[in-house]
Amino acid sequence: MTRLPLMAGNWKMNLNHVEATGVVQKLAWTLADYRYDKKLCEAAVIVPFTDIRTVQNLVQGDRLPLVFGAQDVSLYDSGAYTGEVSAPMLAKLDCTYVVVGHSERREYHGETDEIINAKAKKVLENSMTPIICVGEKLDIRKEGTHVEYVLAQINGVLDGLSSEQVGAAVIAYEPVWAIGTGEVATPEDAQEVCGAIRTRVEELFGSDASQSVRIQYGGSVKASNVVDIMNQSDVDGALVGGASLDPEEFARIVTFYGR
Ligand code: PGA
């Protein structure tokens, strides 16, 4: 089974909708310069809610070889939840992906594995693909219990999903100590945990699910380190933060296969 690599650029709370237009256009031109082939790697931009409509118009209007998505979603479909954005709303905007459980949401918004699991279900019920984030903080890594810790998160965030749903999902392993710090886990560190996640998926959901689920690494991924990370057998792409704000850098990451 060959899994299509996925490079997802998580813009976080950066770039307003006017700036997004420039960045998406430049990304598309640069990918064309690099003879980007979407059959070899999928490229996604994961943008602030206020940018989605603009990005949708650009991607669909100009038939750009990109997909797009959101960084979070409400647990509810509609109602008195001031400030929330629902999965049906995101589906209506043709979002392909929705990130759930990013470490910044866990840290600043108290999101637990249970909440993340419920959000992943909402995304799947609305025919979109969740990018479900897991990862340990530095203290856990120092203790050496990071594999058990991440596998416990996996048990929680995937609870109650069907094998088909898990097989269609994306899991992002992001060691929190490597996010936005310039500190990259070694390719072997990434493989250790991504491989353990795949084995756990096989134990819980069977081998079809474990062979088709895509597992990304995230944390200070750049054009200069992406090739070594992608050479690991259980790493199927990257969730890219800072480097995705620079279209030239992100285009080089997306076309990693040519280098
Ligand atoms: P970074 O962020 O690439 O800036 O480390 C990754 C992420 O938080 O998804």
Side-chain angles (χ1 to χ4, degrees), residues 10 12 102 104 174 178-181 218-221 239-243:
N10 172 16
K12 308 191 180 183
H102 189 278
E104 289 149 17
E174 299 201 301
I179 294 180
T181 58
S220 299
V221 173
L239 188 54
V240 184

Side-chain angles (χ1 to χ4, degrees), residues 139-197:
D139 55 332
I140 304 282
R141 168 64 60 159
K142 282 192 173 148
E143 263 171 42
T145 53
H146 50 284
V147 174
E148 297 98 286
Y149 182 89
V150 170
L151 294 181
Q153 290 181 321
I154 288 290
N155 293 349
V157 295
L158 301 184
D159 186 48
L161 297 184
S162 70
S163 299
E164 289 70 27
Q165 286 177 321
V166 173
V170 178
I171 296 170
Y173 167 57
E174 299 201 301
V176 179
W177 48 272
I179 294 180
T181 58
E183 189 83 39
V184 195
T186 65
E188 294 73 26
D189 289 337
Q191 171 58 30
E192 178 191 34
V193 181
C194 292
I197 292 172

